[in-house]
Amino acid sequence: MRLTTKGRYAVTAMLDLAIHHGGGPITLADIAQRQGISLSYLEQLFARLRKRNLVSSVRGPGGGYTLGRDASGIFVAQVIAAVDENVDTTRCGGAHNCQDNQQCLTHDLWQDLSTRIFDYLNQISLQDLMSRRGVQEVAERQHNGEQASVSLGQLKAEPAGA
């Protein structure tokens, strides 16, 4: 199975959005900074996520993105599919032409594995991921790092002797 950067980044960005949901729209620049993902790449991904109604956009000052529905109703497999990714472990991409334009000996095995992976990812919601202790610890670390960089920036901006 090969899940590309596109699928991984989409899930990461959606999880970040879910974690910060509730405090108003979140800018892609904030997600990009916290997750180390290119802003232009996020713009491409979020255009696709918006088409699938997984996110909503808010324009203007204070704008950004919000979840299109509750985090418990958005599943990892939906996010991956929204950015045109698929979970396929076959050599032929499911076309049944793996060996000399014919189905190979182990095609059904790899097709079954693909189905199981998809089913597994389709059972995990963003809410499920947010409730994992490891995710909470990383989110807290990222939040503290964000606060520390803001504090350092404010210190540098203050005139000497203030």
Side-chain angles (χ1 to χ4, degrees):
M1 180 195 108
R2 187 165 123 65
L3 181 61
T4 67
T5 303
K6 188 188 323 180
R8 291 178 193 276
Y9 282 179
V11 172
T12 299
M14 286 293 290
L15 182 55
D16 183 285
L17 187 63
I19 289 167
H20 295 92
H21 185 72
I26 307 298
T27 67
L28 293 183
D30 287 343
I31 296 172
Q33 180 184 11
R34 282 190 294 265
Q35 303 308 324
I37 302 171
S38 156
L39 178 58
S40 62
Y41 200 64
L42 282 176
E43 289 168 348
Q44 294 171 33
L45 294 176
F46 271 69
R48 293 176 179 190
L49 294 167
R50 192 169 43 90
K51 285 180 184 175
R52 295 282 185 102
N53 298 315
L54 295 177
V55 297
S56 298
S57 61
V58 178
R59 294 181 179 255
Y65 285 88
T66 61
L67 292 177
R69 55 184 174 259
D70 190 70
S72 63
I74 299 175
F75 296 88
V76 172
Q78 293 173 318
V79 174
I80 292 169
V83 295
D84 298 328
E85 284 286 294
N86 62 15
V87 180
D88 182 16
T89 57
T90 64
R91 183 170 47 171
C92 63
H96 302 278
N97 61 355
C98 343
Q99 184 177 31
D100 298 327
N101 222 18
Q102 299 287 319
Q103 182 172 310
C104 71
L105 188 61
T106 55
H107 178 87
D108 290 338
L109 169 69
W110 304 126
Q111 186 65 54
D112 289 348
L113 178 60
S114 298
T115 301
R116 287 184 184 225
I117 292 169
F118 177 84
D119 290 344
Y120 172 73
L121 295 176
N122 205 34
Q123 294 176 10
I124 302 172
S125 71
L126 295 179
Q127 184 65 52
D128 294 334
L129 292 176
M130 287 191 311
S131 64
R132 292 183 177 187
R133 194 176 94 224
V135 169
Q136 293 172 6
E137 290 171 359
V138 171
E140 183 65 28
R141 184 191 74 225
Q142 290 174 341
H143 177 74
N144 289 337
E146 186 177 276
Q147 297 294 58
S149 67
V150 168
S151 299
L152 290 174
Q154 289 171 340
L155 287 173
K156 292 177 185 175
E158 291 179 8

